[in-house]
């Protein structure tokens, strides 16, 4: 079998296998929620899915598709004193009614559309109703019926809304877009490793471990934004190793349209673009710094332009000044701030915690008390980051391909460390899914290098000795005072 045929076959197998894994994970979460009488939302789906539904209904004027039955959440100005008349009315109209909201003054009614609409009209005539939201039942969170999620860009919510519009408004359908991106990410991990090493076996091994990792499997199975960012991260790396730096820069700006942390992908790409330009023009360090600034400004300009276009419906809805205040300037402040820190808040973590499984975010707690945590297989993650740091000096000894991956891996990670230093002390471990493809690409590629080049360990030691020697000489030159010649 020719290599390209084998590559295609493996890619198809990965598509089917990763689709099965992610759909099965997503469906099992849905079934668990149904059995426990939950509302179907997992972790921050409470906010992103609700924002997507609100954008669809309140801003775009569209209705989510509902299958089999028709449901609405009726929100009151305050909690009604007596639900008994509504319960009786629902029974008369053969409707199911849910009244167990505590934070949101609301009820959820479901059944035939004609009867639901009659129920709504009668309820409006007897109670102070502030909102009626068609679709899957809203989560029990205060103000969620008006929540738009201003601090994050809209593209991920647009995809969730599109899935609600075409497929239907229910948990599995909310998650279709991120599942597709998860499958695509798995294939890209394979392609990156195959391109770096020339080995389809290595690509298959790395991509398989990547999608079986608890972090990847969980985040790509629920409708939150970080999975989209992870896809564009590994896409950026793939484009870079193919020599398509400008396309990689575009990928980084598009990643930022899903979540601003996607712009961290631009860090390594800008460095590579500046380095290439400086090399072609025989420039020096100052020229390199100048080019970094130029490409940085280009990235920011491109991002703001694309974000403005993507946010046009929201800008029309809330006004440009409000959008600028809350979604652009406010987003910067939000990302650089320390948020919820009281005892009831989710556990936060620093970027280095992600590699040792410390302070992992609880995505879901099952009825038996077991927890689905946003936690990678940390023995491998820890090994990966240690190898990255240890092998970095080889970049200066001609290992150009290794340099691409290390620059991406450590460059994106540096983005999280920088905002942590600037004040974002409440980061959560599920952010680390952006690093998951890079962690496994780095791990498997370095293991591959040590296999095919048995002397590479010696080269690493020599490289570190050279660095230590140069640093020592520099310190001596700066600190030690040589005696003057007294002849």
């Amino acid at each position: 079998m020719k290599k390209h045929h084998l590559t295609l076959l493996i890619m198809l197998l990965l598509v089917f296998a990763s689709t099965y894994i992610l759909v099965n994970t997503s469906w099992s979460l849905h079934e668990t929620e149904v059995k426990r009488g939950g509302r179907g939302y997992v972790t921050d789906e409470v906010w992103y899915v609700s924002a997507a539904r609100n954008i669809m209904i309140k801003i775009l004027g569209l209705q989510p598709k509902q299958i089999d039955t028709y449901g609405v959440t009726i929100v009151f100005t305050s909690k009604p004193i007596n639900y008994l008349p509504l319960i009786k009315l629902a029974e008369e109209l053969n409707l199911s009614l849910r009244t167990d909201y505590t934070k949101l003054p609301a009820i959820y009614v479901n059944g035939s559309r004609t009867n639901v609409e009659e129920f709504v009209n009668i309820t409006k005539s007897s109670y102070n109703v502030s909102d009626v939201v068609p679709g899957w039942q809203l989560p029990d969170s205060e103000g969620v019926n008006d929540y738009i999620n201003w601090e994050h860009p809209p593209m991920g919510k647009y995809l969730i809304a599109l899935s609600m519009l075409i497929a239907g408004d229910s948990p599995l359908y909310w998650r279709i877009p991120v599942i597709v991106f998860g499958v695509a990410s798995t294939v890209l991990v394979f392609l990156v490793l195959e391109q770096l090493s020339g080995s389809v076996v290595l690509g298959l091994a790395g991509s398989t471990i990547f999608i079986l990792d608890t972090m990847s499997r969980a985040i790509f199975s629920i409708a939150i934004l970080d999975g989209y960012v992870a896809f564009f991260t590994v896409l950026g790396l793939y484009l870079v190793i193919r020599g398509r730096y400008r396309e990689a820069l575009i990928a980084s700006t598009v990643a930022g349209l899903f979540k601003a942390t996607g712009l961290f992908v631009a860090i390594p790409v800008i460095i590579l673009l500046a380095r290439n330009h400086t090399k072609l023009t025989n420039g020096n360090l100052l020229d390199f710094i100048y080019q970094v600034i130029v490409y940085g400004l280009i990235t920011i300009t491109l991002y703001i332009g694309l974000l403005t276009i993507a946010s046009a419906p929201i800008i029309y809805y809330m006004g440009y000044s409000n959008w600028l205040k809350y979604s652009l300037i406010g987003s910067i402040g939000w990302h650089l701030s320390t948020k919820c820190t009281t005892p009831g808040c989710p556990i936060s973590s620093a970027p280095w915690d992600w590699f040792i499984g410390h302070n992992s975010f609880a995505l879901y707690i099952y009825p038996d008390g077991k927890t689905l945590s946003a936690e990678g297989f940390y023995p491998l993650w820890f090994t990966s980051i240690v190898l990255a740091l240890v092998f970095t000096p080889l970049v200066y000894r001609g290992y150009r391909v290794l340099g691409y991956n290390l620059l991406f891996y450590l460059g994106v990670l540096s983005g999280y460390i920088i905002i942590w230093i600037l004040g974002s002390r409440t980061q959560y471990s599920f952010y680390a899914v952006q690093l998951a493809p890079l962690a496994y690409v780095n791990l498997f590629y370095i293991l591959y290098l040590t296999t095919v080049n048995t002397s590479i360990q010696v080269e690493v030691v020599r490289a570190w000795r050279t660095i230590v020697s140069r640093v020592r000489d520099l310190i001596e030159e700066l600190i030690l005072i040589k005696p003057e010649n007294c002849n």
Side-chain angles (χ1 to χ4, degrees):
M1 183 183 293
K2 293 182 178 180
K3 184 179 177 181
H4 69 275
H5 289 152
L6 179 60
T7 298
L8 181 60
L9 177 61
I10 291 175
M11 287 170 61
L12 289 173
L13 289 173
L14 286 172
V15 167
F16 286 117
S18 56
T19 299
Y20 173 79
I21 290 169
L22 297 179
V23 170
N24 184 64
T25 302
S26 180
W27 181 252
S28 69
L29 289 169
H30 173 62
E31 284 190 316
T32 302
E33 274 291 277
V34 170
K35 290 177 182 178
R36 78 191 308 176
R39 290 181 171 81
Y41 301 87
V42 174
T43 190
D44 279 9
E45 283 186 336
V46 167
W47 305 112
Y48 299 135
V49 172
S50 298
R53 188 183 295 110
N54 291 335
I55 289 172
M56 180 197 302
I57 296 171
K58 300 178 187 296
I59 297 178
L60 300 179
L62 301 172
Q63 295 286 312
K65 182 178 180 180
Q66 301 198 55
I67 302 170
D68 298 328
T69 61
Y70 182 80
V72 299
T73 304
I74 302 174
V75 183
F76 303 95
T77 54
S78 60
K79 191 172 182 179
I81 298 173
N82 186 6
Y83 280 125
L84 290 178
L86 295 177
I87 294 172
K88 183 178 180 181
L89 177 62
E91 291 174 350
E92 292 174 357
L93 295 173
N94 195 29
L95 301 174
S96 64
L97 181 66
R98 185 163 191 166
T99 62
D100 59 341
Y101 283 85
T102 57
K103 299 176 184 177
L104 183 72
I107 58 174
Y108 180 73
V109 61
N110 189 26
S112 73
R113 180 161 186 165
T114 301
N115 289 359
V116 168
E117 289 176 346
E118 183 179 350
F119 181 94
V120 170
N121 290 331
I122 295 173
T123 302
K124 282 183 175 181
S125 66
S126 304
Y127 296 89
N128 293 322
V129 174
S130 63
D131 203 357
V132 177
V133 183
W136 188 267
Q137 56 195 307
L138 295 188
D140 189 14
S141 300
E142 185 179 357
V144 75
N145 58 302
D146 291 317
Y147 183 72
I148 303 295
N149 189 230
W150 307 119
E151 63 270 19
H152 291 310
M155 288 304 299
K157 289 162 284 187
Y158 286 165
L159 288 184
I160 296 170
L162 181 64
S163 185
M164 288 178 174
L165 182 67
I166 296 175
D169 187 359
S170 66
L172 184 61
Y173 297 138
W174 304 334
R175 300 163 184 163
I176 288 175
V178 78
I179 289 172
V180 170
F181 276 67
V183 172
S185 298
T186 307
V187 174
L188 280 172
V189 169
F190 166 77
L191 289 175
V192 167
L193 281 169
E194 193 269 339
Q195 286 284 323
L196 291 175
S197 66
S199 170
V200 293
V201 174
L202 188 75
L204 177 60
S207 56
T208 300
I209 299 300
F210 162 73
I211 197 58
L212 290 176
D213 185 278
T214 304
M215 175 78 77
S216 304
R217 186 163 45 86
I219 301 302
F220 284 116
S221 297
I222 54 180
I224 61 176
L225 306 179
D226 300 85
Y228 301 111
V229 174
F231 164 78
F232 284 103
T233 301
V234 68
L235 175 62
L237 176 58
Y238 177 73
L239 291 170
V240 160
I241 64 175
R242 296 295 298 270
R244 296 163 65 178
Y245 296 168
R246 286 178 173 79
E247 290 89 338
L249 190 64
I250 293 172
S252 72
T253 57
V254 174
L257 299 180
F258 288 83
K259 195 173 182 181
T261 49
L263 292 174
F264 294 157
V265 182
I267 295 173
V269 179
I270 288 171
I271 291 173
L272 287 170
L273 284 166
R275 171 186 169 275
N276 273 11
H277 190 280
T278 306
K279 194 173 181 180
L280 289 172
T281 58
N282 296 317
N284 54 27
L285 179 60
L286 289 177
D287 295 320
F288 171 77
I289 295 173
Y290 174 75
Q291 290 302 320
V292 167
I293 294 171
V294 169
Y295 280 112
L297 291 174
I298 290 172
T299 303
I300 293 170
T301 303
L302 178 61
Y303 174 68
I304 293 175
L306 291 176
L307 180 62
T308 303
I309 294 170
S311 302
I314 297 174
I315 293 171
Y316 179 80
Y317 175 76
M318 67 186 301
Y320 183 77
S321 60
N322 281 331
W323 175 79
L324 192 66
K325 179 180 178 181
Y326 295 108
S327 294
L328 195 58
I329 299 173
S331 176
I332 296 171
W334 187 89
H335 280 92
L336 297 181
S337 66
T338 297
K339 293 166 275 293
C340 188
T341 57
T342 58
C345 293
I347 189 168
S348 61
S349 55
W352 41 89
D353 288 332
W354 305 338
F355 298 94
I356 57 176
H358 184 56
N359 290 331
S360 298
F361 185 95
L363 295 168
Y364 192 75
I365 299 175
Y366 291 93
D368 61 1
K370 292 181 180 179
T371 301
L372 175 63
S373 297
E375 180 179 285
F377 187 55
Y378 57 84
L380 295 184
W381 281 61
F382 180 74
T383 303
S384 177
I385 193 63
V386 169
L387 288 176
L389 297 173
V390 169
F391 277 71
T392 294
L394 288 186
V395 175
Y396 302 99
R397 299 179 72 90
Y399 285 82
R400 183 181 178 185
V401 176
L402 174 64
Y404 288 148
N405 180 61
L406 290 177
L407 181 60
F408 249 78
Y409 190 15
L410 300 179
V412 173
L413 175 59
S414 71
Y416 286 102
I417 294 174
I418 289 169
I419 64 171
W420 188 90
I421 293 171
L422 293 176
S424 181
R425 302 300 171 84
T426 46
Q427 299 182 40
Y428 303 111
S429 66
F430 62 82
Y431 296 0
V433 74
Q434 183 178 7
L435 297 168
L438 305 180
Y440 284 112
V441 166
N442 177 74
L443 175 64
F444 278 83
Y445 183 60
I446 290 181
L447 291 177
Y448 164 80
L449 286 179
T450 59
T451 302
V452 299
N453 184 356
T454 54
S455 64
I456 196 170
Q457 294 91 340
V458 176
E459 290 188 60
V460 171
V461 173
R462 287 175 178 171
W464 275 108
R465 282 179 178 174
T466 301
I467 291 174
V468 171
S469 177
R470 289 180 179 177
V471 171
R472 185 181 63 237
D473 292 344
L474 180 61
I475 292 173
E476 289 178 353
E477 184 179 339
L478 293 173
I479 295 178
L480 295 182
I481 302 174
K482 298 181 180 179
E484 295 182 0
N485 193 336
C486 299
N487 291 337

